[in-house]
Amino acid sequence: MADKISISQSKSNLKVRLLVGTITLSFIIICLLSAIGHTIVMDIERQFEKDSFTQQWQHIVRYEQANNDMASGEFPFIHAPDLSLAFYARETLYNRDNLDTSPFWQAMSRDEVNHFVTLGGNTYFIQITSSPHRTEPLTLIWKAKNDTVLTAAAINKLSLAAFITFWLAVGAALLISSFVMRRFAQANKMLEKLALQDSLTKLANRNALFNLKFPAANTGALFFLDLDRFRDINDALGHEMADRTLFAFAQRLRVLAGETARVFRFRSDEFVIWQPDTAHTDIQSRAFNLLYDCREPLNVGNTSLEVSCSIGVACLPDHGHNMDMLLRNAEIAMHRAKKLRLGVQIYNDQLAYNSTMKVTLRSQLRSALHNREFVLFYQPKKDISSGRLAGAEAIVRWQHPDEGLLFPALFIDLVEQSGIVHAFTRYTVEQAVAQIKIWYEQGFSLPVSVNLSAYNLMDNAFIPFVKTCLDNAKIPPSLLEFELTESATMVDIAVTKKVLTAFKEMGIKTSIDDFGTGMSSFAYLRELDIQTVKIDQSFIRHMERNNRNTKIVEGIVSLCRNLAIDVVAEGVETEQQAELLKKLDCHIAQGYLFGRPVPADKITALMAGNTNSLHVPYFQTN
C-alpha cells in the first residue's frame, strides 16, 4: 500500500515564530545601536569638555594680563564664564598652593599635558600650561560638576528612538506574518488539493483514502472496483479516449455512490467506494446494483462504450480494523471475482488463506522445479461403449515438503505468470514421454494428453524440443496428445494454426479443453485443424436433471461427429450421466466415476487387469 500522507497546518506556530524572530532581531539591533551611540556620545562630550576648558583658559590668560596680582603667587577665586551652563558648567579653579593636590601629582607624573583623571569617584581635567606673565608653568585642575548631562540627554533621545523602533518592528512583524500566513494558507490549500485529489478524474486519491477517518459506529463497507478489459480501450482508441473514459466513469460512480458515500480513484483503472454505516445484509444487493448500473452504456463524447467492472467487498470490522487491511482483503476478493467472472465477490477467510498461500508458493516455484517436486498423476479416460481404457490425462501435482500434495488450482496460474513456464512445460512433457515409453516397453500403448498454455504456443523452440523428445524415446507420436484451452488457442490464431499443423505433421493429436465455455467455441472448429473436443464439465453436471444441458451436449456431439472430430465428456460422476452420454453417441468420458488422478503405477496395475487398484465402479473389461 501506499505511504500515508499528513497535511499539517501550523498557522499559529508560524505566526508566533515570525513575531518572536522579528522582535528579537529588533532588540539586538537596538542594543547594538545603543552601545555604539553611548560610546560615541561619551567621546564627543569629553572633546567638548576639552574645548570648553581651553576656551575658559583664554579668559584666565586675559584676566592675568589685567591683574598682575597673579604673578605674586596669590591665586584668588576666579569664576570663568561657562560656554554652556546646561552642559559645561564648571566649579572652582585651583592651583597647587591652595589645594591638597598630592593625588594629582601622581596622575600628573605622565608626560601628557592635558588629560582626564578619575579620583575618588570624580572626574578631573588637568591642564599644564605656560603664560607669558609667569616664570613657571601654571597647573589647572578642573572638576566637572556633572559630566553625564549630555550623555543622559543623548540616551533619552536614543531610548525614545529605540522605543519607537521596537513598536515599529512589532507592527512590521505582525504585518509581515499576516501577509505570509495568507500566502501560506493559499499555498497549503493548493498543496492539499494536489496531495489529496486525482488530477484526471477530480476524485479523491489514495492519499485521501488512507487519511479517511472511520465513523463512530465503526461499521461500513469498502467496494474495490476494477474495470474489465480497460486495456482494450486504451490500445484501440488511444490514451486520450481512455482518459476521457476514466473521467466519465468516475463521474458515474460519484452519482451512483450517493451522498453518504465517498469515491476514490485508487490507481489506474481501479476505484474504491467507502460506504459508512451499511448493514451487512444490504451489502451484496448494493454491490450487484452497482455492478449492473456500471454496465450501462457510457457516453464519452460521440462514442457510446460498455464498460463493465469486477467488484470486491470488505466489511468493517468483520474483514479488517484499519484501511490497509480492508483494502487488501477487498482487492483479494476483486481478483477472485475477475478471475472467475463472478462480477461481485465478498471477502471471506478462505480467500485470505489462498492469497497468502499463493504468495508463498510463488517464491518457491524455481526451487520446486529444480528439486523435481512436481509429479505427474494420470486420470483415466473410458470408452463407455467398449469398456476399455481409452487414454489418460497427465495432471501435475506439487509434492510440497511442508504443505503436502497440492492441486494445480493453487499453482498453475503462478507458473504461467512466472518466468519458468517454458521450463515447467518441458519438464512435464519429458515426464509424460518417459512414462509413455515405460508403458510402451511393457506392452501398453496408452495415449497420454498433456496440457499446454498460450505461452507455449509462442515458444519457437517448443516444437523442436518435442520432436527431440519423441526421437530419443522412440515411441509412436500418436501416443502423445496436447490439450489447449480455448483462451490459449485464440491468443494469435495464425500462430496457433502453424503450431497445430506442425503437431499434426509430427503425428501428435491436439484437443480443445473446456469446450463450450468461450464466446467463439464453434469458430475454433472451423479455423483449427484439431482431432478431439472435450466438452466442459459445466454442461455434463446435472445433465440428467437439466434438459437444456442435454440438448447442448447432443448438438456438440452431433456437430463433431459430422466433422470427424472425437468427443470426450469431462466431469462424469454418475452412472446416469454415463448412460445419457452413451445414448447421445459420446463414447469417451472422463471423471470421478471412472477414476481420480492417480500415480502412474495405479494406471499400470489397471492396464494389467488389477481393477481393484483403481476405484472405477463402472469400469468393466471385456
Side-chain angles (χ1 to χ4, degrees):
M1 298 299 175
D3 293 339
K4 297 182 179 180
I5 184 171
S6 176
I7 304 298
S8 177
Q9 300 182 359
S10 53
K11 297 181 180 179
S12 59
N13 292 336
L14 179 60
K15 190 171 183 178
V16 170
R17 289 195 296 268
L18 285 172
L19 185 60
V20 171
T22 306
I23 293 175
T24 302
L25 181 61
S26 301
F27 181 76
I28 293 173
I29 294 174
I30 290 171
C31 291
L32 290 174
L33 291 176
S34 298
I36 295 172
H38 181 270
T39 302
I40 293 174
V41 169
M42 292 298 296
D43 292 341
I44 292 174
E45 182 177 359
R46 292 200 173 191
Q47 185 61 44
F48 283 169
E49 288 177 344
K50 288 182 180 182
D51 294 342
S52 175
F53 297 148
T54 301
Q55 292 179 16
Q56 295 195 58
W57 163 244
Q58 299 300 325
H59 289 281
I60 295 174
V61 171
R62 287 195 295 272
Y63 187 82
E64 191 179 54
Q65 292 175 354
N67 301 276
N68 292 327
D69 295 337
M70 294 184 66
S72 63
E74 297 179 0
F75 205 102
F77 171 77
I78 299 174
H79 177 73
D82 297 328
L83 295 179
S84 175
L85 185 61
F87 295 99
Y88 301 103
R90 300 290 181 261
E91 284 189 341
T92 312
L93 181 66
Y94 298 93
N95 67 5
R96 67 179 64 182
D97 296 327
N98 57 3
L99 179 66
D100 182 10
T101 57
S102 59
F104 294 97
W105 304 138
Q106 299 176 4
M108 292 164 52
S109 62
R110 295 176 296 174
D111 295 334
E112 297 182 42
V113 177
N114 301 320
H115 60 278
F116 286 94
V117 297
T118 301
L119 297 171
N122 297 317
T123 301
Y124 299 91
F125 183 72
I126 301 175
Q127 281 185 304
I128 302 175
T129 182
S130 60
S131 172
H133 305 287
R134 298 183 61 84
T135 58
E136 296 180 359
L138 179 64
T139 299
L140 301 177
I141 300 174
W142 302 82
K143 178 182 179 183
K145 181 179 180 181
N146 186 4
D147 61 354
T148 61
V149 175
L150 180 59
T151 303
I155 290 177
N156 289 337
K157 292 182 179 181
L158 287 175
S159 299
L160 179 61
F163 180 80
I164 295 173
T165 303
F166 176 81
W167 286 109
L168 286 176
V170 172
L174 292 174
L175 182 63
I176 293 173
S177 63
S178 177
F179 174 75
V180 171
M181 288 311 303
R182 283 200 301 268
R183 296 298 298 269
F184 177 80
Q186 294 174 356
N188 197 44
K189 287 182 181 179
M190 184 176 296
L191 289 174
E192 182 177 359
K193 183 178 180 181
L194 292 174
L196 300 179
Q197 186 182 78
D198 178 62
S199 58
L200 175 62
T201 62
K202 308 307 178 186
L203 296 176
N205 62 14
R206 59 187 297 161
N207 294 327
L209 178 62
F210 284 119
N211 282 270
L212 184 68
K213 302 298 182 182
F214 289 146
N218 204 36
T219 58
L222 188 140
F223 300 82
F224 197 106
L225 294 83
D226 181 80
L227 300 187
D228 296 331
R229 296 180 298 278
F230 180 73
R231 181 176 295 180
D232 296 344
I233 298 176
N234 206 353
D235 295 340
L237 303 180
H239 294 291
E240 182 180 357
M241 178 59 75
D243 289 345
R244 294 174 62 188
T245 302
L246 286 175
F247 178 80
F249 187 79
Q251 304 315 306
R252 167 177 285 183
L253 283 185
R254 195 195 300 270
V255 175
L256 295 177
E259 296 181 357
T260 59
R262 292 195 61 185
V263 184
F264 304 84
R265 185 190 182 193
F266 190 67
R267 60 174 173 247
S268 185
D269 59 342
E270 296 175 343
F271 298 84
V272 170
I273 298 177
W274 167 249
Q275 183 69 60
D277 302 329
T278 302
H280 288 190
T281 56
D282 298 335
I283 289 176
Q284 188 165 0
S285 61
R286 282 178 178 267
F288 275 104
N289 289 337
L290 180 63
L291 178 70
Y292 299 144
D293 290 337
C294 287
R295 289 178 177 176
E296 292 294 324
L298 185 66
N299 295 322
V300 183
N302 297 325
T303 305
S304 180
L305 300 173
E306 291 187 4
V307 181
S308 62
C309 63
S310 299
I311 303 176
V313 186
C315 303
L316 177 73
D318 294 350
H319 304 146
H321 298 280
N322 54 59
M323 186 57 69
D324 284 338
M325 189 176 297
L326 286 175
L327 276 171
R328 182 174 66 252
N329 293 339
E331 188 172 8
I332 290 172
M334 180 275 295
H335 284 304
R336 185 173 189 273
K338 180 180 286 289
K339 179 180 179 180
L340 301 181
R341 302 178 184 178
L342 301 175
V344 172
Q345 173 68 56
I346 298 177
Y347 176 81
N348 58 63
D349 293 337
Q350 184 61 38
L351 295 179
Y353 172 78
N354 291 340
S355 178
T356 304
M357 173 69 74
K358 287 186 176 182
V359 171
T360 303
L361 297 180
R362 183 181 285 110
S363 64
Q364 300 172 347
L365 287 174
R366 292 184 182 276
S367 61
L369 186 62
H370 181 267
N371 297 330
R372 306 179 71 84
E373 295 174 6
F374 296 108
V375 295
L376 293 187
F377 278 43
Y378 299 87
Q379 186 174 24
K381 299 176 184 178
K382 162 80 180 300
D383 186 329
I384 304 175
S385 299
S386 63
R388 67 180 179 84
L389 189 63
E393 178 183 357
I395 300 176
V396 185
R397 296 283 193 268
W398 185 350
Q399 190 63 56
H400 196 279
D402 299 323
E403 302 293 336
L405 194 64
L406 301 180
F407 285 13
L410 281 174
F411 62 86
I412 286 297
D413 288 345
L414 303 180
V415 170
E416 292 187 346
Q417 296 166 8
S418 69
I420 68 166
V421 60
H422 296 309
F424 178 84
T425 302
R426 283 170 168 74
Y427 173 82
T428 57
V429 170
E430 287 176 341
Q431 296 300 307
V433 169
Q435 186 58 53
I436 293 172
K437 180 179 180 180
I438 293 174
W439 285 331
Y440 186 71
E441 291 176 348
Q442 293 175 350
F444 304 116
S445 297
L446 183 69
V448 175
S449 59
V450 178
N451 290 277
L452 300 183
S453 73
Y455 300 98
N456 303 130
L457 299 181
M458 307 299 291
D459 183 8
N460 294 328
F462 183 68
I463 293 176
F465 164 77
V466 174
K467 188 175 187 305
T468 301
C469 283
L470 293 176
D471 291 343
N472 293 337
K474 295 181 174 57
I475 61 173
S478 60
L479 296 180
L480 179 64
E481 182 179 358
F482 287 130
E483 294 186 9
L484 301 98
T485 61
E486 291 188 30
S487 59
T489 57
M490 296 307 291
V491 170
D492 189 324
I493 192 65
V495 172
T496 303
K497 285 183 177 180
K498 180 181 177 181
V499 173
L500 297 188
T501 300
F503 287 158
K504 185 176 182 180
E505 292 175 353
M506 293 167 59
I508 299 174
K509 295 181 179 181
T510 55
S511 64
I512 294 182
D513 197 10
D514 302 331
F515 186 83
T517 58
M519 300 300 293
S520 304
S521 298
F522 292 101
Y524 303 143
L525 303 181
R526 180 190 63 196
E527 298 291 337
L528 303 177
D529 188 6
I530 57 175
Q531 290 74 49
T532 306
V533 163
K534 299 184 72 175
I535 303 176
D536 187 72
Q537 60 182 343
S538 61
F539 297 103
I540 307 301
R541 188 183 302 117
H542 309 308
M543 187 175 66
E544 64 275 26
R545 299 193 302 271
N546 190 327
N547 189 54
R548 294 175 65 88
N549 281 3
T550 303
K551 294 297 183 182
I552 292 173
V553 172
E554 182 180 9
I556 295 174
V557 172
S558 176
L559 177 62
C560 290
R561 290 296 182 200
N562 292 329
L563 295 175
I565 297 175
D566 293 332
V567 181
V568 177
E570 293 184 291
V572 179
E573 297 181 353
T574 65
E575 294 184 7
Q576 292 84 352
Q577 293 170 357
E579 291 294 339
L580 278 174
L581 289 170
K582 185 177 179 180
K583 291 179 181 179
L584 295 176
D585 201 22
C586 178
H587 302 293
I588 308 297
Q590 178 181 355
Y592 288 173
L593 176 64
F594 310 113
R596 297 174 180 269
V598 294
D601 59 342
K602 299 291 185 181
I603 300 295
T604 304
L606 178 63
M607 290 187 294
N610 186 2
T611 58
N612 292 328
S613 64
L614 187 64
H615 297 292
V616 190
Y618 197 78
F619 185 86
Q620 298 291 337
T621 57
N622 293 333

